[in-house]
Amino acid sequence: MSQLYGKHEVPFSWDSENLSLSVEKDGSVKYKRITGSETVEKDIEMKKNSILIHPIEPLNLPKELTSSLMIELNKPVVVDSGAKKRLYATFPLEIAVFIDTQQNKKPLDIFSLTKQKYTLYGDVNDGTICKYWSSDPQDEPPEDLNYLEEGILELAIENRSKEWQEVHKVVLSAYDMSIFFDDEKVAMSAKMTIREGETSETSVNDKAPFEGMKKASEIYRRKKMPLKGKSMKFMMESGI
Amino acid sequence: MTLDTIVFGTVTLQDLVLSFIVIFASVMIAKGISIRLKKTLKGKASEDRISVISKFVYILFITAALIVALSILDFRISGLLVAGGFLGIILGFASQSIVSNLISGIFLTFEKPFQVNDVIRLGNENGTVGMVQEIKIISTTVRTFEGVHVRIPNEKVFTGNITNFLENVARRFEYLVGIRYKDDAEEAIKVIKELIDEKPLALKNPAPQVFVEELGNSAVQLRVRVWAPSTDWFQLRMELLREIKKRLEENGIQIPFDQREVWFRNALQTEKEKKGKTK
């Protein structure tokens, strides 16, 4: 069975339990995607005879409402003062189909096979709407994930506060989100630095957590650069 | 012709040149400050507010420069002030509302009760509701949801009630859903909670609430409270109630009509019975 992620020559088709995708040449190029009860069909005129399918930042569906992703840990992780902890969790995936061009900026289609949910981080007054996901924290990378639905998050936590801390959630910004993929998995690597007052700073590393992975297209960063002077990191000031 | 040459009255050519230099330099400095302000405030305030602040500073600077230039030209500022006082009174009466709107515009700029693209209601419950299009120094323009462009003087905006629907990132809406007494309220609550959980825009946190609010005359009233992003709450509010009705019906739970049982002290004789007796 071929792999979904990567560059594909037209004609191309993919069929799995909950995804059917085909790009066929019949005069013009016909694109068709079926996920659940949703069917998307498009006629395309393309110069090159290939498409790209990449996992992307999970912040585009059902609509672009936020640039922040919250992953709630199903059980808290306790980190002692001055200690470092590396854990693994999962994150939801969105998949983008691109026409293979030089710029390669605008996706032809974006879809997701995971449940979409939003939440609020912080207060109603000054909080942040986040895309929501929950995951079990694990000491080893989770195995047997469906790489069309979930990716592996490698999270390095460093507690620089004077007390031990319980970590219940992590919020990541899409502005610096780098996602990597290979034939079997999708992954990203992030770090969380806990400071005094149960606040922390999170950022996503521009480095693959596992060897031999390719970097996926970053459509969110290309579309929406943060305002000048605004940090690409996320400051968790309403609890961790 | 030297710099000491008298041009008119006691004003020399030097005074004239000096006053021109003061005005020219002030205009240049005022422009510089105005541009600098715009650059400094960019990203920290909306374009409209930056424009109002920079114009205000520019006018303030030019006015000060004019006063200095006039004093160089030997204009008696005190006399000008007296004349200005009379003129001020006349203009004051004539332009009372304009000045009032202007000052309100400046206060609105600093207080920032709303920004461009915020959805607001001005005044009481029946006031103008719409999306802010522009905040100018004299007036604010709002586009109502009927697509009507409304220009409102800043004095009215500033002195009236302002409800900003997008000031907070999330807002709550609620329904009252009645079910029959013979239906299982626990089951109905579970069905509604599951439906809310399926809706991406219904926020996970603050958590939705579904509970028995009242044991009514005809129905058990369930209160449903849901939080949603402020930008999208209405879309969710529109679709969720319809889907709650549908999902409850699919699960055999019905929303009852108002009903009342009436007992008569004496048995009623129906029309049919009457006819039977006469025969």
Side-chain angles (χ1 to χ4, degrees):
Chain A
M1 193 183 203
S2 66
Q3 298 304 320
L4 181 67
Y5 298 131
K7 186 173 177 176
H8 304 285
E9 295 300 317
V10 175
F12 169 77
S13 69
W14 173 275
D15 274 298
S16 61
E17 192 184 339
N18 41 13
L19 170 66
S20 168
L21 192 149
S22 66
V23 191
E24 287 165 3
K25 201 155 191 179
D26 180 19
S28 64
V29 176
K30 311 271 185 200
Y31 171 83
K32 186 174 183 182
R33 186 256 303 170
I34 304 170
T35 42
S37 58
E38 187 187 27
T39 303
V40 173
E41 287 182 276
K42 292 180 182 180
D43 283 2
I44 319 162
E45 276 302 325
M46 50 202 285
K47 287 180 190 170
K48 285 190 188 176
N49 212 22
S50 54
I51 58 161
L52 296 171
I53 302 177
H54 281 186
I56 54 162
E57 306 92 327
L59 293 150
N60 304 278
L61 299 174
K63 62 189 293 188
E64 285 177 31
L65 204 59
T66 175
S67 60
S68 306
L69 168 69
M70 179 199 281
I71 298 167
E72 190 172 51
L73 303 175
N74 291 334
K75 59 180 180 186
V77 174
V78 179
V79 186
D80 201 359
S81 171
K84 291 179 181 178
K85 163 88 181 164
R86 183 177 301 273
L87 64 87
Y88 294 90
T90 63
F91 67 96
L93 290 181
E94 286 177 17
I95 300 165
V97 181
F98 301 91
I99 295 171
D100 185 17
T101 62
Q102 287 267 312
Q103 294 82 23
N104 184 21
K105 279 179 184 171
K106 196 175 168 185
L108 174 71
D109 187 21
I110 300 177
F111 57 92
S112 177
L113 305 177
T114 58
K115 183 184 168 186
Q116 310 289 329
K117 195 75 178 164
Y118 290 101
T119 190
L120 176 68
Y121 173 72
D123 289 336
V124 172
N125 294 341
D126 57 356
T128 307
I129 298 286
C130 300
K131 191 80 173 280
Y132 176 82
W133 186 252
S134 67
S135 167
D136 288 324
Q138 297 178 27
D139 291 330
E140 297 297 325
E143 289 174 0
D144 301 328
L145 285 182
N146 182 342
Y147 84 141
L148 303 183
E149 295 179 8
E150 291 175 279
I152 301 167
L153 171 71
E154 183 192 60
L155 182 65
I157 304 173
E158 183 182 0
N159 183 3
R160 289 190 191 168
S161 74
K162 288 174 187 163
E163 292 186 51
W164 60 268
Q165 301 287 353
E166 262 187 26
V167 179
H168 296 261
K169 52 187 166 270
V170 56
V171 181
L172 303 171
S173 165
Y175 290 125
D176 70 343
M177 206 172 268
S178 298
I179 296 174
F180 298 84
F181 67 93
D182 61 18
D183 291 348
E184 294 170 346
K185 58 189 171 295
V186 177
M188 71 173 159
S189 163
K191 66 177 179 184
M192 179 183 198
T193 309
I194 305 169
R195 302 186 196 281
E196 292 300 332
E198 291 191 1
T199 62
S200 80
E201 185 182 272
T202 64
S203 59
V204 181
N205 304 324
D206 192 20
K207 193 181 154 195
F210 307 103
E211 277 185 18
M213 298 187 98
K214 289 180 199 161
K215 189 171 181 178
S217 291
E218 296 169 325
I219 66 165
Y220 206 89
R221 196 189 322 215
R222 281 177 180 169
K223 264 192 300 189
K224 294 183 177 179
M225 281 304 288
L227 291 171
K228 198 179 170 187
K230 192 177 173 187
S231 172
M232 296 201 343
K233 295 173 178 177
F234 190 92
M235 286 300 298
M236 294 179 68
E237 292 172 330
S238 303
I240 53 177
Chain B
M1 200 177 192
T2 62
L3 283 174
D4 293 334
T5 311
I6 290 175
V7 185
F8 58 89
T10 56
V11 177
T12 61
L13 184 63
Q14 186 181 344
D15 294 337
L16 205 63
V17 170
L18 198 60
S19 59
F20 268 115
I21 290 170
V22 167
I23 290 174
F24 182 74
S26 302
V27 169
M28 298 311 284
I29 292 168
K31 277 204 170 177
I33 290 175
S34 181
I35 290 166
R36 184 77 197 158
L37 257 177
K38 278 182 184 173
K39 279 185 182 171
T40 312
L41 294 175
K42 195 172 183 183
K44 292 174 186 167
S46 68
E47 290 291 324
D48 287 335
R49 290 183 204 288
I50 294 169
S51 167
V52 169
I53 293 168
S54 62
K55 268 181 196 164
F56 182 69
V57 170
Y58 183 81
I59 291 167
L60 208 69
F61 227 84
I62 298 296
T63 311
L66 273 174
I67 292 169
V68 172
L70 286 172
S71 67
I72 291 169
L73 294 175
D74 229 10
F75 267 68
R76 285 183 195 163
I77 300 294
S78 56
L80 202 69
L81 286 176
V82 173
F86 281 117
L87 193 68
I89 291 166
I90 296 162
L91 283 175
F93 277 113
S95 61
Q96 198 180 7
S97 61
I98 293 174
V99 174
S100 172
N101 284 324
L102 183 90
I103 290 168
S104 298
I106 291 165
F107 280 124
L108 276 177
T109 302
F110 286 105
E111 198 198 335
K112 296 181 189 171
F114 52 79
Q115 295 179 7
V116 171
N117 290 335
D118 277 358
V119 176
I120 59 165
R121 180 176 62 217
L122 298 172
N124 56 19
E125 287 286 313
N126 302 318
T128 308
V129 181
M131 187 179 274
V132 179
Q133 300 292 293
E134 269 185 307
I135 308 164
K136 290 182 180 170
I137 200 155
I138 300 289
S139 64
T140 297
T141 50
V142 170
R143 194 188 67 217
T144 67
F145 293 118
E146 293 81 31
V148 180
H149 182 86
V150 185
R151 175 190 172 278
I152 306 156
N154 278 341
E155 189 197 2
K156 274 196 172 180
V157 176
F158 188 68
T159 54
N161 293 342
I162 301 169
T163 309
N164 189 338
F165 295 104
L166 295 184
E167 177 69 19
N168 293 337
V169 291
R171 69 175 289 185
R172 195 185 77 185
F173 62 90
E174 56 184 42
Y175 309 119
L176 204 55
V177 179
I179 58 167
R180 295 177 303 187
Y181 269 88
K182 68 177 183 183
D183 291 326
D184 183 354
E186 288 287 328
E187 178 67 13
I189 289 171
K190 186 171 152 257
V191 166
I192 295 171
K193 278 191 171 173
E194 279 172 1
L195 176 64
I196 293 169
D197 190 51
E198 289 168 18
K199 294 283 163 191
L201 291 171
L203 297 179
K204 183 87 179 169
N205 179 50
Q209 293 176 311
V210 187
F211 57 93
V212 176
E213 166 93 358
E214 190 191 341
L215 300 175
N217 290 334
S218 312
V220 176
Q221 302 285 2
L222 302 180
R223 176 71 67 184
V224 181
R225 290 179 174 159
V226 182
W227 284 88
S230 296
T231 47
D232 296 86
W233 74 279
F234 194 67
Q235 184 198 333
L236 180 64
R237 185 176 175 270
M238 281 195 300
E239 66 185 41
L240 191 58
L241 190 57
R242 174 174 44 83
E243 290 187 30
I244 286 175
K245 177 181 177 289
K246 191 178 165 199
R247 188 66 67 89
L248 286 175
E249 284 172 353
E250 282 169 0
N251 284 273
I253 299 166
Q254 288 185 12
I255 297 166
F257 295 110
D258 271 355
Q259 50 191 277
R260 179 164 293 172
E261 283 187 23
V262 182
W263 291 80
F264 292 94
R265 189 181 292 271
N266 302 314
L268 281 177
Q269 200 174 26
T270 61
E271 289 293 322
K272 208 173 178 182
E273 282 172 334
K274 270 184 190 174
K275 281 178 188 170
K277 277 181 183 175
T278 37
K279 278 179 186 174

